[in-house]
Each structure stands twice: as C-alpha cells, then as structure tokens.
Amino acid sequence: MSATILDTIGQTPLISISRMNRPEEAQVLFKYERYNPGGSIKDRAALYLVETAEQRGWLKPGGTLIESSSGNFGISLAMIGAAKGYRVIILVDPKTTEANLALIRGFGAEVIVVTEQDDSGSYHKTRIALANKLASEIEGAYRPDQCFNRLNQEAHYQSTAREILEQCPGRPSAFVAAVSTGGQLGGISRFLKTYAPRTQVVGVDAVGSTVFGGQANAYRTPGVGLSWTPVNLSLSNLDYAYKISDEQAFVTARAFARHEGILMGPSSGACALVALKLAQQWGPEHRIVSMVADGGDRYIQTLFNDPWMHSQGFSTTASPADIRGIARRLEPWSASPGECANEQTGLIEALQVPQATLLANAELHLSDTIQVRRPPAAAFLD
Ligand SMILES: Cc1ncc(COP(=O)(O)O)c(C=O)c1O
C-alpha cells in the first residue's frame, strides 16, 4: 500500500539507550521525532493546524500560509505547503541557521528575515507582529500561529501523547520535554495528567529564557525558550521545571552522538540530561520518557563544528562519566512550576493575534469542558 509523504508523519519509535544509563537505574526511553519526514516533531503540529484550517474553511486551495519560526516549524510548514500546493512565507530572524534557511527555501517557501529585536532582546514578538500584519494584508492568507493557537498543543494531545502511552511498557514514571510555544509539553502533559496521573511531568527551558520566570538573558539553545509563559501550556500540569545552560545542552547532544550513536539537537540534549538525572534517582523498574524533538544533522554548522563549539567555550570531548556527573549535579529550577507563571497580559491585543486563532481557542475551550466530563478512554486508564 502506498502512502503520501504527509501520511508518514507520526508513529515515531521509542528507543532505549545502553551506555549513558546504568542497569541499576530507571530506564531512559527517547521519543525519537527525527523520523518525521520534515525531520522534527513540528511536522505533527504543522499538519494538524493546516488540516484543521482546511476543514474549517479558514484555508482554501491557492491560499498562503504565513508563520513566524526560526527553524523546525518553518521547515515543516514549507514541506506541507509543497506537498499540498500552498504558497508559504516564513518569518525568521538573524539567529536562523543557513541549514534551516536552505531547507525552508528548498521546499519552495519564501523567507523574510526580521532584524528588529523585541523588548526581551529576542525576535519572537517582532516576528509574530509582522506575520500577523502580513496575514491581514494578503488575500487568502492563513496564520497557523503556533505560539497562540491552542490547536498546537491539541495536535500532541491527539497524537504524540497517545503514542507514548501505547509504546511505553507500563506507565512512565516521568516524562521530560523542552518548551517554547508549549505545544508538545502542553498537549502531552494534559493527556498524561488525565490518563496517567502518577507520571511526573518535567518541563525543560534554557537558562536565559523566562517561560518559568527568572532573569532574561541571551541564550543559544535552538528551538527552546520564550519570554513569556505560552498559552499552550498549563504550568499546573507540571511537577518540576529545569533550566539547562547552552553548554550543558550542546555538550550532552554531542555525547549522545559519540557514545550512543543517537543524533539529537541541543534541546534534546537538555531533556536527555534531565532524564538521566531522574534515572539516577529511581530503580530499574521505572521508565522515563524524554522527547528528542529533532536530529543533530540539522546543526552541522554549530553542534558538530568543533571550531564553533570551541568559540563558545564548549567542550567537544565529554565522556559518559562526564555527562552522568553533570546530570547528577543538576537541581530543579522549581518544584512547583504552577507558581512560576510569567504571563504577559495584553500580548494578544498588542501583537494583533488573528481571528482564526481566537476562534480555534474558543472552540477548544468548549470541547475541553466536554473532555473533562467524558470518561477516559479505557485503553489509557491508569
Ligand atoms: C528542536 C526543538 N525542541 C523543542 C522545541 C519546543 O517545542 P514547543 O514549541 O512545542 O514547545 C522546539 C520548538 O521549536 C524545537 O524546534
């Protein structure tokens, strides 16, 4: 039976590791999203957003997709636009790598580089505001709006989270994921708190990002971080929050390639480090699922470029013992993330979030209420 390229999104493997994880510890399992056809977890949310918009009539044949993304979501959307025949415009910033720009353009999308920084020193708000402006000006445009559209986390509630519980032998004792728009962590934590309430949910942010509050500073870990708590994430669904430094994230990702044969990007290195920390605290009857959002081949000019790593002052030779030591010394940023909210009221008005986003969020709010009243699917009962 043949499949289209978009049919191959999802159903990624859950893989074990052998050398970083000791037999007397909890087993670390990676949800390995690199095997999506666009190379990252973002294929899932991008497809869900586009197909929901098609079904609701918000996106019509010949339409234009406009999104703010410095990497993976833009690549996924460009791929989907090429497969379905839409014009795609991606707003990136000067931090976007040449490799990501080449992939976005390779799928035929147009790129706009936004160079104006926002009040936090990043580009999120200026990119989003310009994307919203363009979407209001271009006939037939649709803004998936991964940052404000709660269909983003719904995509992971409907697919990634279910796959994890189907694939994991028994319930995971903990689940670890990084956060930016909050799509993956928001959707999966909501699902786990409903169907596996004893699973601890752990969020990972970059040092310098303020999703869980704290001091804003520049950081280099790609894909992670935001200067506010995203609407896609309910912090009350998290048990712990960690902040991982750029060096820890990059060095761990390098070590997993070198010592386990597993390619992962720096955000996944950050999650893996936290997963190893938790594994050291529990016995072998426990399992810890950690998201690997993308593969390291996307970061060939940074992560796997020794001169670049040295220019940042990062080690290129960390051994499994080094990584295990770094993991052991980690401390959570918060053991009650529900109290760390950094909500910036007024952003929806200030950035002129599109009507279709507000409509989707209102509909989801109604179906959430139905969801709560509906008994959980028997297959997932804890
Ligand atoms: C590599 C990588 N890791 C983690 C994330 C965070 O995922 P989310 O936006 O669903 O919070 C992203 C998002 O861009 C990413 O590209």
Side-chain angles (χ1 to χ4, degrees):
M1 202 180 71
S2 69
T4 70
I5 192 69
L6 301 184
D7 292 333
T8 68
I9 293 176
Q11 295 300 336
T12 53
L14 192 67
I15 57 176
S16 59
I17 59 177
S18 50
R19 299 172 73 192
M20 297 280 201
N21 203 189
R22 295 262 166 81
E24 68 275 14
E25 297 170 348
Q27 189 186 18
V28 173
L29 298 167
F30 287 143
K31 184 67 173 155
Y32 200 54
E33 294 292 305
R34 174 173 176 246
Y35 287 156
N36 285 299
S40 84
I41 190 168
K42 291 283 173 168
D43 286 2
R44 296 176 185 262
L47 186 67
Y48 192 79
L49 282 155
V50 166
E51 295 200 331
T52 305
E54 287 172 335
Q55 283 159 17
R56 303 292 166 87
W58 300 328
L59 174 63
K60 302 230 164 57
T64 300
L65 293 160
I66 302 182
E67 186 59 310
S68 154
S69 163
S70 63
N72 284 330
F73 195 91
I75 295 168
S76 298
L77 204 63
M79 174 188 73
I80 292 164
K84 285 178 174 278
Y86 295 114
R87 179 185 176 200
V88 179
I89 302 173
I90 305 294
L91 288 94
V92 301
D93 62 54
K95 278 165 57 179
T96 308
T97 63
E98 284 302 321
N100 284 354
L101 290 174
L103 284 168
I104 293 170
R105 291 191 175 115
F107 284 123
E110 296 154 52
V111 168
I112 297 174
V113 185
V114 175
T115 52
E116 190 191 331
Q117 288 180 333
D118 62 27
D119 54 4
S120 74
S122 85
Y123 299 90
H124 285 116
K125 291 179 197 167
T126 41
R127 274 186 350 215
I128 291 170
L130 183 58
N132 289 342
K133 181 167 177 292
L134 281 178
S136 70
E137 290 168 359
I138 296 176
E139 182 76 21
Y142 175 68
R143 278 268 294 119
D145 198 6
Q146 57 164 339
C147 236
F148 285 92
N149 194 335
R150 292 184 62 231
L151 285 170
N152 178 359
Q153 54 96 16
E154 186 67 13
H156 297 288
Y157 183 93
Q158 298 292 348
S159 75
T160 329
R162 284 166 192 263
E163 288 173 31
I164 289 169
L165 285 199
E166 279 161 4
Q167 292 169 319
C168 186
R171 290 287 179 263
S173 295
F175 168 77
V176 183
V179 59
S180 174
T181 66
Q184 42 172 324
L185 188 59
I188 300 170
S189 61
R190 186 160 65 87
F191 192 89
L192 290 175
K193 289 298 167 192
T194 308
Y195 297 114
R198 285 191 289 274
T199 301
Q200 284 189 4
V201 179
V202 182
V204 177
D205 197 10
V207 172
S209 158
T210 55
V211 170
F212 305 122
Q215 177 65 42
N217 269 311
Y219 53 90
R220 299 219 62 124
T221 306
V224 185
L226 201 64
S227 56
W228 67 93
T229 306
V231 299
N232 271 295
L233 177 64
S234 277
L235 291 183
S236 56
N237 284 336
L238 307 192
D239 298 284
Y240 290 95
Y242 281 76
K243 289 200 186 197
I244 300 297
S245 72
D246 294 335
E247 175 164 27
Q248 290 169 337
F250 276 84
V251 164
T252 307
R254 279 277 292 234
F256 268 94
R258 171 69 184 80
H259 300 289
E260 292 275 359
I262 299 174
L263 283 178
M264 62 173 69
S267 81
S268 310
C271 293
L273 201 57
V274 173
L276 289 176
K277 159 93 188 171
L278 301 177
Q280 291 170 2
Q281 296 172 336
W282 280 321
E285 69 281 13
H286 293 273
R287 284 158 301 277
I288 295 158
V289 174
S290 189
M291 293 306 299
V292 173
D294 64 5
D297 40 357
R298 194 145 279 184
Y299 308 98
I300 219 136
Q301 295 154 314
T302 52
L303 180 61
F304 292 113
N305 177 355
D306 284 1
W308 186 88
M309 289 286 283
H310 293 146
S311 75
Q312 305 297 309
F314 299 167
S315 159
T316 50
T317 56
S319 67
D322 295 333
I323 299 298
R324 293 173 53 76
I326 300 171
R328 193 173 309 110
R329 292 189 292 277
L330 286 180
E331 292 294 337
W333 164 258
S334 173
S336 38
E339 292 163 17
C340 296
N342 174 20
E343 270 146 17
Q344 291 186 16
T345 48
L347 270 185
I348 289 188
E349 293 76 33
L351 302 178
Q352 301 200 313
V353 167
Q355 233 9 68
T357 299
L358 302 178
L359 208 60
N361 289 351
E363 283 182 21
L364 274 172
H365 180 67
L366 291 177
S367 68
D368 270 357
T369 321
I370 297 162
Q371 194 84 48
V372 172
R373 286 206 217 110
R374 205 173 57 192
F380 293 115
L381 269 175
D382 205 18

